[in-house]
Amino acid sequence: MGFSTLLDVIASMIIGGMLLSIVFRVSDSATEKLYNNSGELSLQQNLSTVAKMIEYDFKKIGYCSDWTQIPIPSRSILVADTSKLKFLTDVDKDGSLDSIFYYLGLASELLQTENPRDRILYRVVNAEQPIASNLGVTDFHMTYFDALGDTIPFPITVPGEIASIEVNISVENVAAYDTAYSSAFWRQIRLVARNLKKR
């Protein structure tokens, strides 16, 4: 009778351990799914925020409510590089000329996030302190085209030739479950500021 009871206890412990293991696996899987789904939502929101901000600012290249401030809109782009763009515009629509400078920071500047590839996208208005947005941007790349639609090779020595811009942005989660980072990509093909057409 004692040996049979001992076998029942051992069998119960084995079955209980297996059930406990299954519960832990289901719990871990549910946690991973929840973390990944919330990360995907955050990723899409971050990409949407960056895209709207860039599209809004870039479409105002060469705009000023007092047109005499920028009599030749083709001269409103000051610096154009693969991941840098500085241009003239009227930020507050008050008739005063402002400059906006977008550039991508270095990977070594952002050490407080888990993702080793994310970088800070900077937006500088005039000579103010740079506004940094850590939205998981991993790539910010631009290609420039002339009025005929041909690609302008780098380095761009005559920014006045730029008629349209292709903007590419990649965004990844700043944190991930078990280093499985999700990513999203946005491309604006031939973004044209209306004022650049006024030559």
Side-chain angles (χ1 to χ4, degrees), residues 38-51 135:
S38 64
E40 288 287 333
L41 176 62
S42 175
L43 178 71
Q44 295 298 328
Q45 289 172 337
N46 289 350
L47 182 60
S48 176
T49 300
V50 172
L135 296 172

Side-chain angles (χ1 to χ4, degrees), residues 9-72:
V9 170
I10 291 173
S12 299
M13 288 176 57
I14 290 172
I15 292 171
M18 288 175 24
L19 288 174
L20 194 60
S21 174
I22 291 170
V23 168
F24 284 146
R25 283 186 186 153
V26 168
S27 176
D28 190 42
S29 177
T31 302
E32 180 181 359
K33 294 289 182 202
L34 178 66
Y35 197 89
N36 286 340
N37 287 342
S38 64
E40 288 287 333
L41 176 62
S42 175
L43 178 71
Q44 295 298 328
Q45 289 172 337
N46 289 350
L47 182 60
S48 176
T49 300
V50 172
K52 285 178 183 175
M53 178 179 66
I54 287 174
E55 201 169 32
Y56 178 77
D57 281 345
F58 282 21
K59 285 191 175 182
K60 293 193 316 181
I61 295 173
Y63 167 79
C64 187
S65 58
D66 178 8
W67 68 271
T68 59
Q69 296 288 326
I70 308 178
I72 305 173

Side-chain angles (χ1 to χ4, degrees), residues 117-167:
R117 292 176 297 280
D118 62 345
R119 298 159 84 179
I120 296 175
L121 180 63
Y122 290 98
R123 179 182 185 262
V124 183
V125 177
N126 298 323
E128 296 174 6
Q129 200 65 9
I131 298 172
S133 59
N134 177 19
L135 296 172
V137 175
T138 56
D139 185 37
F140 175 60
H141 180 83
M142 290 169 287
T143 305
Y144 303 94
F145 303 93
D146 62 18
L148 299 174
D150 296 326
T151 304
I152 302 173
F154 293 103
I156 296 176
T157 54
V158 184
E161 293 178 346
I162 299 171
S164 61
I165 306 167
E166 177 184 290
V167 183

